[in-house]
């Protein structure tokens, strides 16, 4: 009986909630929530990615959306669970145009967090499982078109005789996953990639690069990695997988294609996009464009007085591929986050003499530790307990961003205690460590600023052994013909400098392709408005501009690591499919850059 009680409580709450909504009693629905409550919605009510914080925000949202959403059929999915007095339950429901799923968490009988997410559009479901396409007509036909012939015709006509509904600019992991989602929903889409082959965005990185996240976290939609895939994927292996994926998922994918310009006709509701495809200028007319150019925008170049006088080689990490030509040479790496560490290791392995110039403290976490305590729901153990990657994605998404810091702070208390000796040794070596302004660690830095962290996969041992030198706590005054003059008056003599100084926001890519005006109109991507350095307010409650409508009609951003790209590609695709089919999509909530 005790095991059934949480499910009974969850069912009772869900029933009351459903009845209140169907009766249009917004006040009764809002009163079912705790005072300190959150409702995160992915499209079902808001046609947005939006978190309502507090009862008042929930009331306002329901006033604006309830009559259109018309929610119904609220049902628990499986048994509820309880943890320290909080009841958690999964559920399904419907709206007028879609089916949804979600997770609720109750405390003392009232809802603390509610998560609702669109699963599929009614009448436009993916053709999978029992609904999969037959693949052949069992009838003799002299005019038969084979699969290969149909694919060749589609590839020949798209962008020439037929225009894509959606143009995805960028054919790395994000663009490829979105292309696959759109393909399965029947949205004519074209993915363009500037490199010569799919996967080259990984292949062209420095030779020693290996994914820092484990395989269970990195699956692509529809085709998971096989069970013998390594836990950490080498970059070239990842590139080959992406190339295979584009072919198997039948993406319309143009390589060696660069986007030159794009302009939106507000009256005709269509983009005019000029691309260069292997030297040929082609004009495309998509209804929507998605910038999937990576997690960030163009390389961030820092001002280095005296750069013109430096006689050695000066390059940004985006231009770095191998340390082979630096064998036996003295190289300074400016920057002490992920790229700075990875490039330093690659240079050391090539036989260079490396000094890392650390301009600000870095959050460092040992890979083994993060695997043990940070990726618990993305692991072999989680799979054995029934937590699939899809289920883990939902669990992560169900936590409002406002509540993530508290959990991360507790996690890093555990990490610092567990690896106290490691952190003391690293600090004693002269390397500056921090865990963020509010001690929330790596994940919050990734969300807020996308910088200042490193998952240790070997570089720290080289620092501790003195194999990689570190200059920390002193700024760069200027470059000299022979190296770097530091603000304490010392000079670091080097033959080459690699600037691992990060990247600008994705909207800066928009500036170069569309216009400065449109780039400023949509504003920067990523960040939560947390108020920490590099992430100015006001508070957003969600990541700026990512995967949702922006201030520029028909312009979207999609990207992030493999996990974020996998999960949110579904919701970008659903938004585009709904618009293509003429389904009303009244967006609740202003775009990220409003005001």
């Amino acid at each position: 009986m005790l095991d059934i009680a949480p499910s009974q409580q969850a069912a009772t709450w869900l029933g009351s909630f459903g009845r209140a909504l169907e009766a249009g009693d917004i006040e009764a629905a809002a009163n079912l929530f705790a005072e300190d409550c959150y409702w995160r919605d992915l499209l079902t009510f808001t046609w947005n990615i939006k978190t309502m914080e507090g009862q008042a925000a929930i009331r306002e949202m329901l006033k604006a959306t309830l009559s259109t959403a018309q929610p119904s059929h609220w049902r628990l999915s499986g048994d509820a669970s309880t943890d320290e007095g909080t009841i958690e339950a999964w559920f399904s429901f419907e709206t007028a145009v879609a089916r949804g799923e979600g997770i609720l968490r109750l405390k003392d009988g009232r809802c603390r967090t509610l998560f609702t997410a669109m699963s599929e559009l009614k009448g436009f479901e993916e053709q999978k499982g029992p609904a999969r396409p037959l693949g052949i007509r069992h009838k003799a036909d002299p005019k038969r078109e084979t699969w290969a012939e149909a694919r060749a015709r589609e590839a020949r006509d798209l962008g020439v005789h037929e225009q894509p509904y959606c143009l995805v600019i960028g054919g790395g992991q994000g663009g490829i996953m979105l292309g696959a989602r759109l393909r399965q929903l029947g949205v004519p889409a074209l993915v363009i990639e500037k490199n010569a082959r799919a996967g080259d965005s990984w292949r062209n990185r420095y030779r020693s690069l290996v994914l820092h996240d484990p395989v269970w976290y990195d699956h692509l939609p529809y085709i998971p990695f096989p069970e013998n895939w390594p836990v950490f994927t080498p970059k070239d292996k990842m590139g080959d997988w992406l190339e295979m994926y584009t072919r198997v998922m039948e993406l319309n994918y143009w390589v060696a294609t660069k986007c030159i310009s794009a302009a939106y006709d507000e009256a005709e509701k269509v983009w005019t996009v000029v691309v260069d495809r292997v030297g040929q200028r082609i004009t495309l007319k998509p209804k929507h464009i998605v910038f999937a150019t990576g997690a960030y925008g163009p390389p961030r170049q820092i001002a280095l007085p005296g750069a013109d006088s430096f006689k050695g080689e000066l390059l940004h990490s985006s231009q770095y591929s191998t340390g082979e030509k630096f064998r036996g040479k003295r190289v300074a790496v400016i920057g002490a986050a992920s790229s700075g560490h990875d490039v330093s290791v690659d240079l050391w392995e090539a036989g260079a003499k490396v000094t890392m110039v650390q301009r600000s403290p870095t959050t460092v976490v040992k890979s083994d530790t993060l695997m043990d305590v940070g990726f618990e729901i993305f692991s072999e153990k989680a799979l054995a307990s029934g937590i699939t990657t899809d289920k883990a994605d939902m669990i992560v998404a169900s936590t409002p961003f406002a509540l993530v810091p508290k959990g991360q702070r507790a996690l890093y208390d555990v990490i610092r205690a567990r690896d106290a000796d490691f952190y003391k040794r690293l600090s004693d070596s002269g390397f500056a460590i921090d865990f963020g302004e509010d001690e929330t660690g790596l994940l919050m830095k990734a969300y807020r600023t996308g910088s200042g962290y490193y998952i240790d996969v070997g570089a720290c041992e080289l620092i501790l052994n003195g194999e990689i030198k570190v200059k920390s706590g002193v700024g760069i005054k200027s470059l000299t013909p022979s190296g770097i003059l530091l603000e304490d008056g010392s000079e670091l003599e080097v033959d080459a400098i690699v600037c691992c100084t990060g990247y600008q926001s994705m909207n800066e890519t928009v500036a170069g392709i569309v216009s400065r005006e449109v780039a400023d109109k949509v504003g920067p991507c990523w960040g939560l408005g947390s108020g920490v350095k590099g992430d100015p307010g006001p508070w957003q409650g969600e990541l700026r501009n990512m995967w949702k409508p922006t201030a520029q009609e028909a312009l979207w951003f999609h990207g992030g690591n493999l996990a974020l790209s996998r999960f949110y590609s579904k919701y970008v695709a659903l938004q585009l499919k709904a618009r293509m089919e003429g389904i009303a999509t009244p967006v609740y909530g202003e775009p990220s850059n409003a005001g």
Side-chain angles (χ1 to χ4, degrees):
M1 187 68 181
L2 289 175
D3 292 336
I4 301 173
S7 295
Q8 288 180 332
Q9 292 183 57
T12 298
W13 187 93
L14 195 63
S16 298
F17 185 62
R19 287 189 295 273
L21 293 181
E22 290 189 39
D25 191 341
I26 292 172
E27 192 62 30
N31 286 337
L32 291 167
F33 288 82
E35 290 295 327
D36 181 19
C37 63
Y38 301 84
W39 181 347
R40 187 172 195 230
D41 181 60
L42 273 54
L43 312 185
T44 57
F45 282 73
T46 63
W47 281 107
N48 202 348
I49 295 177
K50 177 77 174 169
T51 298
M52 283 58 66
E53 302 182 1
Q55 288 184 358
I58 290 172
R59 287 189 192 94
E60 290 302 309
M61 183 274 284
L62 288 175
K63 286 177 185 177
T65 66
L66 186 56
S67 61
T68 302
Q70 300 176 33
S72 62
H73 298 86
W74 299 84
R75 298 186 180 92
L76 287 188
S77 305
D79 294 330
S81 61
T82 183
D83 182 26
E84 296 183 357
T86 296
I87 293 172
E88 178 178 291
W90 294 59
F91 60 88
S92 63
F93 67 106
E94 296 183 18
T95 67
V97 299
R99 296 180 186 89
E101 57 188 331
I103 301 173
L104 63 87
R105 297 185 181 93
L106 306 179
K107 185 78 171 178
D108 299 326
R110 302 173 83 188
C111 187
R112 177 82 196 291
T113 70
L114 183 68
F115 174 60
T116 49
M118 188 176 291
S119 302
E120 58 187 4
L121 293 164
K122 294 178 180 177
F124 302 102
E125 298 84 359
E126 291 188 9
Q127 292 184 310
K128 61 183 181 180
R132 73 176 71 230
L134 187 60
I136 189 173
R137 287 181 61 211
H138 291 297
K139 180 181 179 181
D141 183 355
K143 296 182 180 179
R144 181 196 305 272
E145 185 179 45
T146 67
W147 171 85
E149 291 165 346
R151 280 291 293 137
R153 173 180 51 77
E154 182 182 32
R156 184 176 61 248
D157 290 350
L158 190 65
V160 181
H161 303 299
E162 298 175 11
Q163 289 299 318
Y165 181 77
C166 175
L167 176 68
V168 181
I169 301 171
Q173 62 203 34
I176 286 171
M177 285 191 247
L178 178 57
R181 298 280 195 189
L182 292 169
R183 180 81 179 177
Q184 297 311 299
L185 286 173
V187 177
L190 176 61
V191 182
I192 61 172
E193 166 59 36
K194 66 182 180 181
N195 288 308
R197 294 167 59 194
D200 274 355
S201 55
W202 282 98
R203 293 189 193 94
N204 294 343
R205 302 293 300 280
Y206 39 90
R207 58 178 288 277
S208 61
L209 179 64
V210 175
L211 271 70
H212 293 179
D213 296 326
V215 63
W216 307 279
Y217 188 66
D218 289 340
H219 291 299
L220 276 63
Y222 310 114
I223 309 177
F225 295 115
E227 291 189 358
N228 65 341
W229 198 261
V231 173
F232 299 107
T233 308
K235 70 179 184 71
D236 297 286
K237 191 175 180 70
M238 188 71 229
D240 289 349
W241 183 264
L242 291 174
E243 187 171 29
M244 175 280 297
Y245 189 89
T246 62
R247 293 179 62 87
V248 173
M249 296 306 296
E250 303 177 18
L251 303 193
N252 293 303
Y253 190 94
W254 287 3
V255 297
T257 303
K258 184 178 180 180
C259 190
I260 304 300
S261 66
Y264 188 62
D265 189 319
E266 300 285 350
E268 296 294 326
K269 306 298 182 186
V270 66
W271 287 92
T272 298
V273 183
V274 178
V275 303
D276 183 312
R277 187 185 188 193
V278 199
Q280 180 185 3
R281 291 290 174 104
I282 299 172
T283 299
L284 301 170
K285 294 280 191 175
K287 296 288 189 182
H288 295 262
I289 60 174
V290 181
F291 281 86
T293 50
Y296 308 105
R300 178 180 289 116
Q301 307 286 357
I302 61 170
L304 292 170
D308 291 342
S309 69
F310 179 58
K311 294 181 179 179
E313 185 169 358
L314 174 63
L315 66 160
H316 187 270
S317 58
S318 59
Q319 303 165 301
Y320 177 91
S321 59
T322 176
E324 189 61 36
K325 66 179 179 179
F326 300 110
R327 183 181 300 276
K329 295 185 177 181
R330 301 163 300 175
V331 184
V333 174
I334 299 176
S338 296
S339 293
H341 282 80
D342 287 345
V343 168
S344 294
V345 170
D346 191 68
L347 285 164
W348 178 84
E349 289 180 347
K353 299 173 183 177
V354 188
T355 301
M356 182 187 293
V357 180
Q358 185 183 30
R359 298 180 301 150
S360 58
T362 308
T363 297
V364 177
V365 190
K366 295 176 71 174
S367 177
D368 291 348
T369 297
L370 202 57
M371 285 285 292
D372 287 346
V373 302
F375 282 104
E376 291 177 302
I377 60 172
F378 293 96
S379 65
E380 210 65 43
K381 184 178 178 181
L383 286 174
S385 67
I387 302 177
T388 63
T389 298
D390 287 343
K391 191 170 185 178
D393 281 344
M394 291 288 285
I395 293 170
V396 171
S398 70
T399 302
F401 280 106
L403 297 183
V404 175
K406 180 180 178 182
Q408 290 298 303
R409 200 174 291 113
L411 173 65
Y412 278 87
D413 285 344
V414 172
I415 288 172
R416 280 182 292 192
R418 172 177 168 146
D419 294 331
D421 180 64
F422 166 75
Y423 288 120
K424 184 179 185 306
R425 291 170 59 217
L426 195 57
S427 181
D428 289 346
S429 74
F431 189 90
I433 303 168
D434 79 348
F435 292 91
E437 289 183 26
D438 54 356
E439 305 296 315
T440 53
L442 185 153
L443 182 65
M444 294 315 301
K445 277 194 172 184
Y447 284 148
R448 291 165 172 173
T449 64
S451 62
Y453 55 85
Y454 171 61
I455 299 175
D456 180 28
V457 290
C460 288
E461 195 60 35
L462 295 177
I463 292 172
L464 292 172
N465 292 340
E467 301 286 353
I468 293 175
K469 308 293 184 184
V470 175
K471 280 282 187 180
S472 181
V474 56
I476 297 172
K477 186 174 183 180
S478 69
L479 300 192
T480 68
S482 58
I484 302 173
L485 178 63
L486 300 170
E487 290 181 345
D488 64 1
S490 64
E491 183 173 356
L492 179 63
E493 294 188 354
V494 293
D495 303 301
I497 300 170
V498 183
C499 295
C500 297
T501 48
Y503 296 81
Q504 301 174 61
S505 173
M506 291 174 75
N507 70 316
E508 292 302 320
T509 302
V510 174
I513 292 175
V514 185
S515 69
R516 178 78 261 167
E517 180 184 13
V518 171
D520 292 342
K521 179 181 177 181
V522 298
C525 300
W526 302 101
L528 295 161
S530 63
V532 305
K533 183 180 179 181
D535 183 27
W539 173 248
Q540 302 279 322
E542 294 286 346
L543 293 166
R544 295 185 189 93
N545 280 319
M546 297 306 300
W547 317 297
K548 58 187 176 182
T550 68
Q552 171 58 56
E553 183 179 8
L555 185 153
W556 307 77
F557 293 102
H558 172 62
N561 61 20
L562 285 153
L564 291 171
S565 293
R566 172 186 64 244
F567 182 71
Y568 287 102
S569 58
K570 176 179 180 177
Y571 302 100
V572 178
L574 284 169
Q575 291 173 86
L576 292 168
K577 175 66 172 179
R579 285 161 172 79
M580 188 184 86
E581 299 297 347
I583 296 171
T585 57
V587 177
Y588 177 77
E590 294 182 317
S592 296
N593 204 37

